[in-house]
Amino acid sequence: MTFASATLPELGGWESRSNEGAELVLALTDTPTGAFRPNIVLTSTPSTAPIEAASSVSIAAILTDHPGAQIIAVDLWAEQAIDGRMITASYPAGDLQIVILRWIWATGLRHVHLTASVATHQLLACQPTLSYIATALELTGEMSATQVNTDVAPKLDLTASAAAGQPLELLERVPSFQPYTPPSLEISVAAQGALLAARTTGALARRSPAQQELRDSGLLEGHSRRLSPFALQVVTHWDSGIQLEASTTRSGITRSLRSWTRGESTLFAYSTAPQNEMDAGGFAIEMRPVGQTVDLILRFLGVGPMWSRAMEPDRVSVSVLQERLAADALTLPSTPAGTNDAFGRFWNQEWTELRVRSVLSSMRAINTPSAGLLNVGAPESVSGDAVFPITTMPSSAFYTHLLALFETALRG
C-alpha cells in the first residue's frame, strides 16, 4: 500500500476506512460488538522542522486534544532511513483507557505520523502487529535537510543529547503536566472494620462508633444504619476483589495505592506513612472503571517519558543498594566501582523506589527525575555474595510489564 508519505505492508484482518485528512485509516475487523476498534492512521503535514520539534509538538497536541491524557514514553525509533520517535500515551474515554502509539518522522519537507489507537486491554495482543507495520513502513517522496527555527525550537536535554550524539528534546518537565490526584473520600481503619462487619446484613451494628463518620461520608443511607449502594460496592470489592498494591518510597516516606478489581470496576485506597510503618490513620478511596486501572497506577507511580541509557554494572550487591536507598543528599555513598557515566549520573540523582505486587507476581524499580528507570530483579547469589540484577528499563517497557502483571492477576 503506497501513499504520498509512506508505503505500508498489506495487513490481513484489517479493513480500510475513509477519513478526511488522513492518507490511510485501517480498523481491526474482528472486534466484538460495542468494543473499541483498534485502528491505525497515517497522516503527514508540511514542515521543515527536525524530529525533536515534531516530537515536542506531538506531545503537546496529545495533552491538549485528550483531557486527562498522560505521556508514558518517548523512545528513539531507528527502523527507517531517517531516525524517528515513538510516543506512547493514553487517555480516558468513558469507561475505557485508550493507548496511543505514535511513530513520527521528519523528512525535511514533511512530518509523517503513523498513529495506532487501542484500548489498554487490547494493547498486548495488538502490539506485535503494530510494531511490524511501523518497522516495515517505508518513507516515500522527497527528503531534505531539516531546518531549526530558533524562535520555536524545543528545549533540548543537553546531557542526553551529548550521550546520544543527536539533539534530544527535554522530557523531564512532562510529568508536571500529569500529576496524580489522591481520592477525596477519606475513611478511617475503624470505619473500614465497621463496613466489613456489616457486609452480611447490609447495616451497621447498633451504636457503632463509626456511624457518624460513615454518614458524613455518604456511606450510609440517610439517617439509617443501612449501607449505601456505593458502600455495598466498596465492601464487595474488599471482600472478593483481585488485589494489587503499588507503593513509592522517597526520603523516608512511603505512599501506597492498593486496588481491588471486581467485575467492571476497581476500588482504590490511597495512604501515606513513614517508611516501614503502618498508617493507622486511614486512607482515601475511589472507584474507577476497570479499564483505567493500570494507567492510574502508572500515574500514581510517577513514571513518565525519559531518555534511557545502558548502565553498567548489571549487578549490585544487596548491601550497597540498601545503603543507597536509605541515604539522603548528605549521606550519599560513593558510586560503586566499575560503573559507567550513565550509572554514575543515575546514582547521584534523587531516587524513588517503586514496587507493585499481586498474589502471583511483583515488580521493583528505581525512578529518577531525568536519569532513567532501573529495574531491580530478585536477589541471587554470585560467588557467594547476595546481589540484585539491575537493568535499564524504558518507561514504555515498564508500562507493558505493568499491563502484563495486571492481566496475569485477573486470569488468576
Short mmCIF file of all heavy atoms in Angstrom, two decimals, residues 330-384:
data_model
loop_
_atom_site.label_atom_id
_atom_site.label_comp_id
_atom_site.label_asym_id
_atom_site.label_seq_id
_atom_site.Cartn_x
_atom_site.Cartn_y
_atom_site.Cartn_z
N LEU A 330 22.90 14.22 51.99
CA LEU A 330 24.07 14.47 52.84
C LEU A 330 24.85 13.20 53.15
O LEU A 330 26.01 13.28 53.57
CB LEU A 330 23.62 15.13 54.15
CG LEU A 330 22.94 16.51 54.01
CD1 LEU A 330 22.48 17.01 55.38
CD2 LEU A 330 23.88 17.50 53.36
N THR A 331 24.23 12.04 52.98
CA THR A 331 24.89 10.78 53.34
C THR A 331 25.05 9.86 52.14
O THR A 331 25.15 8.65 52.29
CB THR A 331 24.10 10.05 54.44
OG1 THR A 331 22.78 9.75 53.94
CG2 THR A 331 23.99 10.90 55.69
N LEU A 332 25.07 10.43 50.95
CA LEU A 332 25.13 9.64 49.73
C LEU A 332 26.44 8.86 49.65
O LEU A 332 27.52 9.45 49.69
CB LEU A 332 25.00 10.56 48.51
CG LEU A 332 24.71 9.90 47.17
CD1 LEU A 332 23.32 9.27 47.19
CD2 LEU A 332 24.79 10.94 46.05
N PRO A 333 26.38 7.53 49.55
CA PRO A 333 27.63 6.75 49.46
C PRO A 333 28.29 6.93 48.09
O PRO A 333 27.66 7.38 47.13
CB PRO A 333 27.15 5.30 49.64
CG PRO A 333 25.71 5.31 49.24
CD PRO A 333 25.18 6.67 49.59
N SER A 334 29.54 6.59 48.02
CA SER A 334 30.29 6.72 46.78
C SER A 334 29.73 5.78 45.71
O SER A 334 29.20 4.71 46.02
CB SER A 334 31.77 6.40 47.00
OG SER A 334 32.33 7.27 47.95
N THR A 335 29.87 6.19 44.46
CA THR A 335 29.44 5.35 43.35
C THR A 335 30.25 4.06 43.35
O THR A 335 31.47 4.08 43.51
CB THR A 335 29.65 6.08 42.02
OG1 THR A 335 29.04 7.36 42.09
CG2 THR A 335 29.04 5.30 40.87
N PRO A 336 29.59 2.89 43.18
CA PRO A 336 30.32 1.63 43.17
C PRO A 336 31.38 1.60 42.08
O PRO A 336 31.25 2.26 41.04
CB PRO A 336 29.22 0.59 42.90
CG PRO A 336 27.95 1.24 43.32
CD PRO A 336 28.13 2.70 43.05
N ALA A 337 32.42 0.83 42.30
CA ALA A 337 33.50 0.70 41.31
C ALA A 337 32.98 0.00 40.05
O ALA A 337 32.06 -0.81 40.12
CB ALA A 337 34.66 -0.09 41.91
N GLY A 338 33.55 0.36 38.91
CA GLY A 338 33.21 -0.31 37.66
C GLY A 338 31.95 0.18 37.00
O GLY A 338 31.39 -0.49 36.13
N THR A 339 31.47 1.37 37.40
CA THR A 339 30.24 1.90 36.81
C THR A 339 30.58 2.81 35.64
O THR A 339 31.64 3.44 35.60
CB THR A 339 29.43 2.69 37.85
OG1 THR A 339 30.20 3.80 38.31
CG2 THR A 339 29.07 1.82 39.03
N ASN A 340 29.66 2.91 34.68
CA ASN A 340 29.86 3.84 33.57
C ASN A 340 29.23 5.19 33.90
O ASN A 340 28.62 5.38 34.96
CB ASN A 340 29.31 3.26 32.26
CG ASN A 340 27.80 3.06 32.29
OD1 ASN A 340 27.14 3.34 33.29
ND2 ASN A 340 27.25 2.57 31.19
N ASP A 341 29.36 6.14 32.97
CA ASP A 341 28.87 7.50 33.22
C ASP A 341 27.36 7.53 33.44
O ASP A 341 26.86 8.29 34.28
CB ASP A 341 29.24 8.42 32.05
CG ASP A 341 30.73 8.70 31.98
OD1 ASP A 341 31.42 8.48 33.00
OD2 ASP A 341 31.20 9.14 30.91
N ALA A 342 26.64 6.70 32.68
CA ALA A 342 25.18 6.67 32.81
C ALA A 342 24.76 6.24 34.22
O ALA A 342 23.86 6.84 34.82
CB ALA A 342 24.58 5.74 31.77
N PHE A 343 25.44 5.21 34.75
CA PHE A 343 25.10 4.75 36.09
C PHE A 343 25.52 5.78 37.13
O PHE A 343 24.83 5.99 38.14
CB PHE A 343 25.75 3.40 36.39
CG PHE A 343 25.25 2.77 37.66
CD1 PHE A 343 24.11 2.00 37.67
CD2 PHE A 343 25.92 2.97 38.87
CE1 PHE A 343 23.64 1.42 38.84
CE2 PHE A 343 25.46 2.40 40.05
CZ PHE A 343 24.33 1.61 40.03
N GLY A 344 26.66 6.44 36.90
CA GLY A 344 27.11 7.47 37.84
C GLY A 344 26.11 8.61 37.93
O GLY A 344 25.82 9.11 39.03
N ARG A 345 25.55 9.03 36.80
CA ARG A 345 24.54 10.09 36.82
C ARG A 345 23.28 9.60 37.53
O ARG A 345 22.67 10.33 38.31
CB ARG A 345 24.23 10.51 35.39
CG ARG A 345 23.21 11.65 35.29
CD ARG A 345 23.18 12.25 33.89
NE ARG A 345 22.23 13.35 33.83
CZ ARG A 345 21.02 13.23 33.31
NH1 ARG A 345 20.62 12.10 32.78
NH2 ARG A 345 20.19 14.28 33.28
N PHE A 346 22.91 8.35 37.24
CA PHE A 346 21.73 7.76 37.89
C PHE A 346 21.92 7.71 39.41
O PHE A 346 21.04 8.07 40.18
CB PHE A 346 21.50 6.36 37.33
CG PHE A 346 20.27 5.67 37.86
CD1 PHE A 346 19.07 5.76 37.18
CD2 PHE A 346 20.32 4.92 39.03
CE1 PHE A 346 17.93 5.14 37.66
CE2 PHE A 346 19.18 4.30 39.53
CZ PHE A 346 17.99 4.40 38.83
N TRP A 347 23.09 7.28 39.83
CA TRP A 347 23.40 7.11 41.26
C TRP A 347 23.24 8.42 42.02
O TRP A 347 22.79 8.42 43.18
CB TRP A 347 24.81 6.57 41.39
CG TRP A 347 25.26 6.26 42.80
CD1 TRP A 347 25.93 7.10 43.66
CD2 TRP A 347 25.09 5.02 43.49
NE1 TRP A 347 26.19 6.46 44.84
CE2 TRP A 347 25.68 5.17 44.77
CE3 TRP A 347 24.51 3.79 43.15
CZ2 TRP A 347 25.69 4.15 45.71
CZ3 TRP A 347 24.53 2.78 44.10
CH2 TRP A 347 25.11 2.96 45.35
N ASN A 348 23.59 9.51 41.40
CA ASN A 348 23.63 10.79 42.11
C ASN A 348 22.34 11.61 42.03
O ASN A 348 22.27 12.70 42.57
CB ASN A 348 24.80 11.63 41.58
CG ASN A 348 26.15 11.06 42.02
OD1 ASN A 348 26.45 10.99 43.19
ND2 ASN A 348 26.94 10.62 41.05
N GLN A 349 21.32 11.07 41.37
CA GLN A 349 20.03 11.76 41.35
C GLN A 349 19.16 11.29 42.50
O GLN A 349 19.46 10.30 43.18
CB GLN A 349 19.32 11.51 40.01
CG GLN A 349 19.96 12.27 38.86
CD GLN A 349 18.96 12.64 37.78
OE1 GLN A 349 17.79 12.27 37.80
NE2 GLN A 349 19.43 13.40 36.80
N GLU A 350 18.05 12.00 42.73
CA GLU A 350 17.11 11.60 43.77
C GLU A 350 16.42 10.30 43.35
O GLU A 350 15.96 10.18 42.23
CB GLU A 350 16.07 12.69 43.99
CG GLU A 350 15.09 12.40 45.11
CD GLU A 350 14.10 13.53 45.34
OE1 GLU A 350 13.58 14.05 44.33
OE2 GLU A 350 13.85 13.88 46.50
N TRP A 351 16.36 9.34 44.27
CA TRP A 351 15.78 8.03 43.97
C TRP A 351 14.37 7.91 44.55
O TRP A 351 14.11 8.36 45.67
CB TRP A 351 16.63 6.91 44.56
CG TRP A 351 17.86 6.58 43.77
CD1 TRP A 351 18.48 7.36 42.84
CD2 TRP A 351 18.63 5.39 43.87
NE1 TRP A 351 19.59 6.72 42.34
CE2 TRP A 351 19.71 5.50 42.95
CE3 TRP A 351 18.52 4.22 44.63
CZ2 TRP A 351 20.66 4.50 42.79
CZ3 TRP A 351 19.47 3.22 44.47
CH2 TRP A 351 20.53 3.36 43.56
N THR A 352 13.49 7.29 43.78
CA THR A 352 12.18 6.87 44.28
C THR A 352 12.04 5.38 44.00
O THR A 352 12.12 4.95 42.85
CB THR A 352 11.04 7.62 43.58
OG1 THR A 352 11.19 9.03 43.79
CG2 THR A 352 9.69 7.19 44.16
N GLU A 353 11.88 4.61 45.06
CA GLU A 353 11.72 3.16 44.89
C GLU A 353 10.25 2.86 44.56
O GLU A 353 9.34 3.33 45.25
CB GLU A 353 12.13 2.41 46.15
CG GLU A 353 12.07 0.90 46.00
CD GLU A 353 12.47 0.17 47.27
OE1 GLU A 353 12.54 0.82 48.34
OE2 GLU A 353 12.71 -1.05 47.19
N LEU A 354 10.04 2.08 43.52
CA LEU A 354 8.70 1.71 43.07
C LEU A 354 8.50 0.21 43.27
O LEU A 354 9.38 -0.59 42.91
CB LEU A 354 8.50 2.05 41.59
CG LEU A 354 8.93 3.44 41.11
CD1 LEU A 354 8.65 3.57 39.61
CD2 LEU A 354 8.22 4.53 41.88
N ARG A 355 7.36 -0.15 43.80
CA ARG A 355 7.01 -1.56 43.95
C ARG A 355 5.57 -1.77 43.53
O ARG A 355 4.70 -0.96 43.84
CB ARG A 355 7.20 -2.05 45.39
CG ARG A 355 8.65 -2.15 45.86
CD ARG A 355 8.71 -2.62 47.30
NE ARG A 355 10.05 -2.72 47.83
CZ ARG A 355 10.76 -3.83 47.90
NH1 ARG A 355 10.26 -4.97 47.44
NH2 ARG A 355 11.97 -3.84 48.42
N VAL A 356 5.33 -2.88 42.84
CA VAL A 356 3.96 -3.30 42.50
C VAL A 356 3.88 -4.79 42.78
O VAL A 356 4.75 -5.56 42.35
CB VAL A 356 3.60 -3.03 41.03
CG1 VAL A 356 2.14 -3.40 40.77
CG2 VAL A 356 3.84 -1.57 40.67
N ARG A 357 2.83 -5.21 43.51
CA ARG A 357 2.70 -6.62 43.90
C ARG A 357 1.29 -7.11 43.67
O ARG A 357 0.31 -6.39 43.93
CB ARG A 357 3.06 -6.80 45.38
CG ARG A 357 4.50 -6.54 45.73
CD ARG A 357 4.76 -6.73 47.21
NE ARG A 357 4.19 -5.64 48.00
CZ ARG A 357 4.85 -4.53 48.31
NH1 ARG A 357 6.09 -4.37 47.90
NH2 ARG A 357 4.28 -3.59 49.02
N SER A 358 1.18 -8.32 43.19
CA SER A 358 -0.07 -9.05 43.20
C SER A 358 0.21 -10.38 43.90
O SER A 358 1.32 -10.65 44.33
CB SER A 358 -0.57 -9.31 41.77
OG SER A 358 0.21 -10.31 41.13
N VAL A 359 -0.80 -11.22 44.01
CA VAL A 359 -0.59 -12.52 44.65
C VAL A 359 0.38 -13.36 43.83
O VAL A 359 1.13 -14.18 44.37
CB VAL A 359 -1.95 -13.25 44.80
CG1 VAL A 359 -1.74 -14.68 45.30
CG2 VAL A 359 -2.84 -12.50 45.77
N LEU A 360 0.41 -13.15 42.51
CA LEU A 360 1.17 -14.01 41.61
C LEU A 360 2.54 -13.48 41.22
O LEU A 360 3.43 -14.26 40.90
CB LEU A 360 0.35 -14.28 40.34
CG LEU A 360 -0.99 -15.00 40.56
CD1 LEU A 360 -1.76 -15.04 39.25
CD2 LEU A 360 -0.76 -16.40 41.09
N SER A 361 2.72 -12.18 41.20
CA SER A 361 3.99 -11.63 40.71
C SER A 361 4.23 -10.25 41.30
O SER A 361 3.36 -9.67 41.96
CB SER A 361 4.01 -11.57 39.18
OG SER A 361 2.90 -10.84 38.70
N SER A 362 5.42 -9.70 40.99
CA SER A 362 5.76 -8.39 41.53
C SER A 362 6.74 -7.68 40.60
O SER A 362 7.37 -8.31 39.76
CB SER A 362 6.35 -8.51 42.94
OG SER A 362 7.56 -9.24 42.90
N MET A 363 6.86 -6.38 40.78
CA MET A 363 7.81 -5.55 40.06
C MET A 363 8.50 -4.64 41.06
O MET A 363 7.89 -4.18 42.03
CB MET A 363 7.11 -4.67 39.01
CG MET A 363 6.40 -5.40 37.91
SD MET A 363 5.40 -4.27 36.88
CE MET A 363 6.67 -3.12 36.29
N ARG A 364 9.78 -4.36 40.80
CA ARG A 364 10.51 -3.42 41.64
C ARG A 364 11.42 -2.59 40.73
O ARG A 364 12.10 -3.14 39.86
CB ARG A 364 11.34 -4.15 42.69
CG ARG A 364 12.04 -3.21 43.68
CD ARG A 364 12.92 -3.99 44.64
NE ARG A 364 13.52 -3.13 45.65
CZ ARG A 364 14.49 -3.52 46.47
NH1 ARG A 364 14.97 -4.76 46.40
NH2 ARG A 364 14.98 -2.67 47.36
N ALA A 365 11.41 -1.30 40.92
CA ALA A 365 12.23 -0.43 40.08
C ALA A 365 12.64 0.80 40.89
O ALA A 365 12.09 1.08 41.96
CB ALA A 365 11.48 -0.01 38.82
N ILE A 366 13.62 1.52 40.37
CA ILE A 366 14.05 2.78 40.95
C ILE A 366 13.89 3.85 39.89
O ILE A 366 14.38 3.70 38.76
CB ILE A 366 15.51 2.71 41.45
CG1 ILE A 366 15.63 1.63 42.53
CG2 ILE A 366 15.96 4.07 41.99
CD1 ILE A 366 17.06 1.27 42.87
N ASN A 367 13.20 4.92 40.24
CA ASN A 367 12.92 6.00 39.31
C ASN A 367 13.73 7.24 39.69
O ASN A 367 14.03 7.46 40.86
CB ASN A 367 11.42 6.34 39.35
CG ASN A 367 10.97 7.10 38.13
OD1 ASN A 367 11.68 7.19 37.13
ND2 ASN A 367 9.77 7.67 38.20
N THR A 368 14.11 8.03 38.69
CA THR A 368 14.83 9.28 38.92
C THR A 368 14.17 10.38 38.12
O THR A 368 13.41 10.12 37.18
CB THR A 368 16.30 9.16 38.48
OG1 THR A 368 16.34 8.86 37.07
CG2 THR A 368 17.03 8.08 39.25
N PRO A 369 14.44 11.65 38.44
CA PRO A 369 13.83 12.75 37.68
C PRO A 369 14.22 12.77 36.20
O PRO A 369 13.38 13.08 35.35
CB PRO A 369 14.33 14.01 38.41
CG PRO A 369 14.67 13.55 39.78
CD PRO A 369 15.18 12.16 39.62
N SER A 370 15.48 12.45 35.87
CA SER A 370 15.89 12.58 34.47
C SER A 370 17.00 11.63 34.04
O SER A 370 17.53 11.78 32.94
CB SER A 370 16.33 14.02 34.19
OG SER A 370 17.47 14.36 34.99
N ALA A 371 17.35 10.67 34.89
CA ALA A 371 18.46 9.76 34.54
C ALA A 371 17.99 8.35 34.21
O ALA A 371 18.79 7.45 34.08
CB ALA A 371 19.47 9.70 35.69
N GLY A 372 16.70 8.16 34.07
CA GLY A 372 16.19 6.88 33.65
C GLY A 372 15.55 6.08 34.77
O GLY A 372 15.41 6.53 35.91
N LEU A 373 15.16 4.88 34.41
CA LEU A 373 14.43 3.96 35.28
C LEU A 373 15.22 2.66 35.32
O LEU A 373 15.64 2.15 34.27
CB LEU A 373 13.03 3.74 34.70
CG LEU A 373 11.98 2.96 35.49
CD1 LEU A 373 11.54 3.76 36.72
CD2 LEU A 373 10.77 2.70 34.60
N LEU A 374 15.43 2.12 36.51
CA LEU A 374 16.24 0.92 36.67
C LEU A 374 15.37 -0.19 37.24
O LEU A 374 14.76 -0.04 38.29
CB LEU A 374 17.41 1.19 37.62
CG LEU A 374 18.60 0.23 37.58
CD1 LEU A 374 19.31 0.32 36.24
CD2 LEU A 374 19.56 0.57 38.71
N ASN A 375 15.29 -1.30 36.52
CA ASN A 375 14.56 -2.46 37.00
C ASN A 375 15.46 -3.26 37.96
O ASN A 375 16.63 -3.52 37.66
CB ASN A 375 14.14 -3.35 35.83
CG ASN A 375 13.35 -4.56 36.29
OD1 ASN A 375 12.27 -4.43 36.85
ND2 ASN A 375 13.89 -5.75 36.07
N VAL A 376 14.91 -3.64 39.11
CA VAL A 376 15.63 -4.41 40.12
C VAL A 376 15.05 -5.81 40.16
O VAL A 376 13.88 -5.99 40.49
CB VAL A 376 15.55 -3.75 41.51
CG1 VAL A 376 16.35 -4.56 42.54
CG2 VAL A 376 16.06 -2.31 41.45
N GLY A 377 15.87 -6.81 39.83
CA GLY A 377 15.40 -8.19 39.82
C GLY A 377 15.45 -8.82 41.19
O GLY A 377 15.83 -8.20 42.20
N ALA A 378 15.07 -10.09 41.25
CA ALA A 378 15.10 -10.83 42.52
C ALA A 378 16.55 -11.09 42.91
O ALA A 378 17.41 -11.31 42.06
CB ALA A 378 14.36 -12.15 42.36
N PRO A 379 16.87 -11.05 44.21
CA PRO A 379 18.26 -11.27 44.64
C PRO A 379 18.75 -12.66 44.26
O PRO A 379 17.98 -13.63 44.23
CB PRO A 379 18.18 -11.09 46.16
CG PRO A 379 16.75 -11.31 46.52
CD PRO A 379 15.96 -10.84 45.35
N GLU A 380 20.03 -12.75 43.94
CA GLU A 380 20.63 -14.03 43.60
C GLU A 380 22.03 -14.07 44.18
O GLU A 380 22.56 -13.05 44.64
CB GLU A 380 20.66 -14.21 42.08
CG GLU A 380 21.35 -13.09 41.34
CD GLU A 380 21.17 -13.17 39.83
OE1 GLU A 380 20.06 -13.49 39.37
OE2 GLU A 380 22.17 -12.91 39.12
N SER A 381 22.63 -15.24 44.17
CA SER A 381 23.97 -15.40 44.73
C SER A 381 25.00 -15.53 43.61
O SER A 381 24.83 -16.34 42.70
CB SER A 381 24.01 -16.65 45.63
OG SER A 381 25.30 -16.84 46.16
N VAL A 382 26.04 -14.70 43.67
CA VAL A 382 27.14 -14.75 42.71
C VAL A 382 28.43 -14.84 43.51
O VAL A 382 28.77 -13.91 44.27
CB VAL A 382 27.15 -13.51 41.79
CG1 VAL A 382 28.36 -13.55 40.88
CG2 VAL A 382 25.87 -13.43 40.97
N SER A 383 29.13 -15.94 43.36
CA SER A 383 30.38 -16.17 44.09
C SER A 383 30.20 -16.00 45.60
O SER A 383 31.06 -15.44 46.29
CB SER A 383 31.49 -15.23 43.59
OG SER A 383 31.71 -15.42 42.21
N GLY A 384 29.04 -16.42 46.07
CA GLY A 384 28.77 -16.37 47.50
C GLY A 384 28.25 -15.05 48.00
O GLY A 384 27.91 -14.92 49.18
#
